[in-house]
Amino acid sequence: MGGERIRLYVPGSIMGYKRGKSNQTNHTSLISIDGVASKPETNFYLGKRIAYIYKAKTEKKGSKYRVIWGKVTRAHGNIGAVRAKFRKNLPPISLGGRVRVMLYPSNI
């Protein structure tokens, strides 16, 4: 039980909202997961929890850090991106930001 760390999440980034040519749907976000490059690789992440962590100005419950939780719903395209829905819609300042794709709940 030395210095070996247990990996609880995989980093990812927010690419934007799901959108068409002229409309965007803010309740669905597109997430790029690090190390995932094809559509079949996204099957492992379906149903996994996502955490968007940000820092706020005021302290609540002893911390200035807050989190918005979401869930991977399905794949998007052929390059390994996924769609995710969050409990509250992600703010526009989060676009391009980092998220944590948790490795739970397990489906294997």
Side-chain angles (χ1 to χ4, degrees):
M1 307 259 321
E4 188 174 340
R5 298 191 60 177
I6 298 172
R7 188 178 71 162
L8 296 177
Y9 64 89
V10 176
S13 57
I14 302 168
M15 300 192 314
Y17 301 120
K18 186 183 105 152
R19 59 171 298 144
K21 183 180 177 185
S22 58
N23 297 329
Q24 77 176 11
T25 55
N26 299 339
H27 58 76
T28 303
S29 301
L30 304 179
I31 309 291
S32 172
I33 303 172
D34 294 0
V36 178
S38 66
K39 194 171 197 172
E41 294 175 18
T42 62
N43 291 335
F44 172 78
Y45 295 98
L46 299 183
K48 298 285 190 274
R49 296 281 171 204
I50 301 179
Y52 170 66
I53 301 170
Y54 61 99
K55 191 174 184 182
K57 189 173 183 181
T58 58
E59 188 172 315
K60 287 193 177 182
K61 296 182 182 176
S63 175
K64 289 188 177 182
Y65 290 97
R66 314 240 175 103
V67 63
I68 300 176
W69 287 97
K71 183 170 65 171
V72 177
T73 56
R74 57 173 290 183
H76 180 85
N78 295 315
I79 60 164
V82 295
R83 295 182 196 175
K85 288 200 172 191
F86 288 82
R87 289 187 186 159
K88 288 180 140 184
N89 294 348
L90 291 180
I93 199 159
S94 70
L95 301 182
R98 303 294 284 169
V99 293
R100 295 179 178 184
V101 182
M102 302 299 176
L103 296 178
Y104 55 82
S106 176
N107 53 12
I108 56 172

